[in-house]
Amino acid sequence: MAKLKIEDLEKITEEFKRKMTLREGAGRVKITVHLGTCGIAAGARKIMNSFMEEIEKSKATDIIMTTSGCAGLCSREPMATVEVIGNAPIKYVDLTIDKVKIIFDKHVMKGAFVQEYALSVGSEKIQ
Amino acid sequence: MKPYTIQLMICAGTGCVSNQSFEIKEVLEKEIKKHNLQNEAMVVTTGCNGFCGAGPIMVVQPDGIFYQYLKVTDIPYLVEEHLVKGRPVKKFMYVPPKEEIPIPRMNKIPFFSGQTLVALRNRGMIDPEFIEDYIARGGYRALAKVLTTMSPDEVLKEIKKSGLRGRGGGGFPTGVKWETCKKIPGDRKFVICNADEGDPGAFMDRSIIEGDPHSVIEGMIIGAYAIENVREGYIYVRMEYPLAIKRFNIAVQQAKDNGLLGDNIFDTNFCFDIKVRRGAGAFVCGESTALMASIMGNPGEPRAKYIHTVEKGLYDCPTCLNNVETWANIPQIVLKGADWFTGIGTGDVTHDPWGGSKGTKVFSLAGKVNNTGLVEVPMGITLREIVFNVGGGIRDGKRFKAVQTGGPSGGFIPESLVDLPVDYDELTKVGSMMGSGGMVVLDENNCMVDMAKFFLRFTQDESCGKCVPCREGTKRMYDILYRITKGEGKEEDLDLLEELSNMIVESSLCALGGSAPNPVLTSLKYFREEYLTHVRDKKCPAKVCRELLTFSIDPEKCLENGHGCGVCEKNCPDGAIYGEKKNVHFIDSMKCGKCGVCFDVCKFGAITVE
Ligand SMILES: Cc1cc2nc3c(=O)[nH]c(=O)nc-3n(C[C@H](O)[C@H](O)[C@H](O)COP(=O)(O)O)c2cc1C
Ligand code: SF4
Ligand code: SF4
Ligand code: SF4
């Protein structure tokens, strides 16, 4: 194995950063896709995958992507919650892959939430 | 790497492993595959989380959902609910004593939120067998900083300024020790990590090694650099810690493979290497001179320290020995600076390295508290906070009686001193000590004479026998205590115990003898009445010393509640109980062997014990 140089420490850290951010629950933005039975039926997994693709593309390491259960609004699935840490979480409903792209661009990356796709401003709690 | 959305951090410390955490991991992975979630959920084995009483433990990130007491058979349900349906499962969550609503998040549970993590900063966050995990959490940055931007003298100055004191027992200022070792002339010097951890019930060091071995290694490399002329280091781990030895070996090998140990570290001209040695298993081998003798292949016996080991230690070379936790603090002090470190803790160390206790201390909290396990708290925290907040209070609503700190030769601190701030000097003032961080909480059902006897039995067993006062004195003291608990004690015994204690403290070669009488001295000081009740009234108020108990039957309860059911009579091994069926029963105290069986079997509370 090659000897580590000081620069390598940073490289390793970058490489593992996404994993660590998720583990520490830290991160700048947290995206939660609701993967209840109804959500999955409505295509939530596709939505999750396209969020993941966007994260990949952006190369950002400070975004946490996670899943949660049914949000109780089955008629408006697929849904996702975007929380820029420090601001109130925003629920997006009736998602499509195109909407994901816009939300990712505007809200996740630039911090401006997308009113027309949003449901309400409210907090998410674990029951 | 895969962009996982959930990480399942399962504890793989010794405690949880013995509760099948590896089997749980296997089933987890199987279930995750079954639901086709392997690209979303990642299972990580971590070091000890500290909440060992509730193991096996799993934390689900990023939400920090805390699960406890998991069983292999719970896993399919848990995966289905939490991972597939996204519903965290309440029944595996922590519920505070006397409450009903669970606390889902780890950082909201008082056991965790009351802690400050420095030495244990990576606990539950990294897989200790992956050096990349350690690096990704800031590991080896302190070493890089030291080797490229600081001279050895500057490093030493920073450690001195931090006021860090040894976490292994004596509380000696680490910077002063390094400086002395540095000043002694010699071109071959050693650093050693003391991982012998012999205190019964203590596992602070084991947990650091099992959870974050690289932090200790990084600390040692920095120490070697600061002291200078140190190219060899040893880690001395007790044989009873197979998992710790394994993790140290893996970590040392990884450090070597990556050029963090060996020649020309980070392309500088600094060279240093570490060897792992297994301890022979004796408690006294944790003592500095005995430990070095043992590394050199000699019997592990202390020697007189007219010449200190920093001058003439391993192979007669200047040697700096520090404890596991001491070493693990070093990288953090280097990275964050001495001022950050002195911001935590008590006193003022600007001019006097003994002037305070800085940083945090890891304690192993055991005994009668609700939350037992490993806790890292800031120096200066009160015993009350540790016992009642972090520890969750006394089990079963019993009364708090005392806490014993400092391992088998620490002292008892009574309830009246519960607001004592925990630091080196305060603990010593009340007759106990910091030691390596043992903390045993006692309640009203503990007899102080019996506890003193218990701890003395350990030290007396472990005395290496080199000096007469320690070898014979502790034995005689044990005999006296034994007599007292048997009801054969005399009032003069108390003075005799004190006299023997002082003699042993003063004339012992090493700190084993020097501190062994502490439990006796402090229990005599704070619980003298309890001793007197034993010797004068021949009674044990805590009802522990069996020989002093009297069993009898409350005739009313026996007749009215139990209708003389006769169960006690059938179960008494000594045939000491008489009585006609449906009539009052009696105990013949001459025949009664005081086994306590009747008390346990009588469903009507008719047996009384005094
Ligand atoms: C009988 C006896 C047992 C000891 N056991 C240990 C031990 O298990 N671990 C430890 O670190 N120090 C132990 N010590 C203290 C060591 O002698 C030494 O003071 C310590 O390792 C120095 O490191 P520190 O300054 O970082 O605390 C023991 C001392 C005595 C007298
Ligand atoms: S004090 Fe006890 S343990 Fe220490 S050297 Fe003497 S006999 Fe051995
Ligand atoms: S078991 Fe209890 S109630 Fe029954 S005879 Fe014995 S003392 Fe009486
Ligand atoms: S304490 Fe044991 S020996 Fe004594 S009366 Fe009860 S059962 Fe019999």
Side-chain angles (χ1 to χ4, degrees), chain B residues 551 572-574 576-577 587 592-598:
Chain B
F551 288 81
C572 172
D574 290 344
I577 302 180
I587 294 177
C592 169
K594 314 194 186 212
C595 67
V597 166
C598 53

Side-chain angles (χ1 to χ4, degrees), chain B residues 284 301-302 462-468 470-471 508-514:
Chain B
V284 79
E301 276 180 17
E462 294 290 340
S463 162
C464 81
K466 197 164 177 168
C467 10
V468 181
C470 170
R471 184 184 67 220
S508 288
L509 188 60
C510 84
L512 190 152

Side-chain angles (χ1 to χ4, degrees), chain B residues 292-317:
Chain B
M292 292 178 203
S294 167
I295 291 183
M296 293 187 283
N298 299 326
E301 276 180 17
R303 64 159 171 81
K305 281 189 267 191
Y306 309 113
I307 305 169
H308 283 280
T309 50
V310 281
E311 255 176 78
K312 269 186 168 198
L314 199 60
Y315 303 109
D316 280 343
C317 299

Side-chain angles (χ1 to χ4, degrees), chain B residues 311-585:
Chain B
E311 255 176 78
K312 269 186 168 198
L314 199 60
Y315 303 109
D316 280 343
C317 299
T319 304
C320 178
L321 172 74
N322 280 121
N323 165 261
V324 170
E325 192 184 330
T326 314
W327 288 120
N329 269 290
I330 301 291
Q332 289 303 299
I333 295 174
V334 167
L335 273 183
K336 298 189 174 164
D339 292 335
W340 159 78
F341 198 74
T342 52
I344 313 168
T346 62
D348 183 357
V349 291
T350 348
H351 302 294
D352 175 11
W354 300 87
S357 307
K358 294 301 182 184
T360 56
K361 179 76 193 81
V362 183
F363 290 98
S364 88
L365 194 56
K368 304 289 182 61
V369 276
N370 278 306
N371 308 334
T372 57
L374 215 60
V375 302
E376 182 170 4
V377 289
M379 295 276 191
I381 187 173
T382 61
L383 284 170
R384 182 189 297 280
E385 280 173 84
I386 299 181
V387 173
F388 290 98
N389 183 31
V390 179
I394 307 296
R395 238 183 272 161
D396 304 325
K398 292 266 161 57
R399 215 192 77 232
F400 171 57
K401 186 168 185 180
V403 43
Q404 202 262 2
T405 70
S409 41
F412 299 106
I413 303 171
E415 193 202 358
S416 57
L417 293 173
V418 70
D419 287 309
L420 190 82
V422 175
D423 79 4
Y424 290 103
D425 310 306
E426 293 293 328
L427 290 177
T428 311
K429 255 189 245 162
V430 299
S432 186
M433 58 185 196
M434 182 74 78
S436 63
M439 203 171 264
V440 184
V441 179
L442 308 179
D443 71 4
E444 55 189 303
N445 289 2
N446 288 108
C447 164
M448 300 314 288
V449 185
D450 180 66
M451 291 308 295
K453 185 179 83 175
F454 171 83
F455 286 114
L456 200 68
R457 161 119 216 190
F458 177 84
T459 38
Q460 176 248 312
D461 260 358
E462 294 290 340
S463 162
C464 81
K466 197 164 177 168
C467 10
V468 181
C470 170
R471 184 184 67 220
E472 297 300 327
T474 53
K475 178 114 189 53
R476 290 287 84 80
M477 282 176 72
Y478 178 80
D479 290 345
I480 296 172
L481 289 170
Y482 184 74
R483 245 183 20 229
I484 296 178
T485 56
K486 283 247 180 214
E488 293 156 14
K490 303 186 285 281
E491 242 178 286
E492 305 88 84
D493 282 343
L494 307 197
D495 294 333
L496 187 58
L497 277 173
E498 253 158 5
E499 204 183 313
L500 274 170
S501 295
N502 293 329
M503 185 268 295
I504 296 170
V505 170
E506 266 159 42
S507 50
S508 288
L509 188 60
C510 84
L512 190 152
S515 57
N518 279 342
V520 178
L521 284 172
T522 48
S523 54
L524 274 170
K525 180 170 165 194
Y526 299 117
F527 298 93
R528 206 176 180 88
E529 273 307 310
E530 200 168 331
Y531 275 88
L532 285 172
T533 313
H534 279 75
V535 294
R536 265 195 215 141
D537 312 337
K538 312 287 179 214
K539 287 211 183 307
C540 174
K543 299 182 183 157
V544 172
C545 303
R546 283 200 182 274
E547 312 274 343
L548 303 185
L549 303 181
T550 316
F551 288 81
S552 54
I553 292 173
D554 179 331
E556 259 170 53
K557 284 189 184 155
C558 177
L559 195 59
E560 273 158 38
N561 302 351
H563 305 293
C565 72
V567 168
C568 55
E569 185 188 345
K570 264 195 219 106
N571 284 284
C572 172
D574 290 344
I577 302 180
Y578 300 94
E580 298 287 319
K581 233 183 156 91
K582 302 210 170 102
N583 273 318
V584 177
H585 282 58

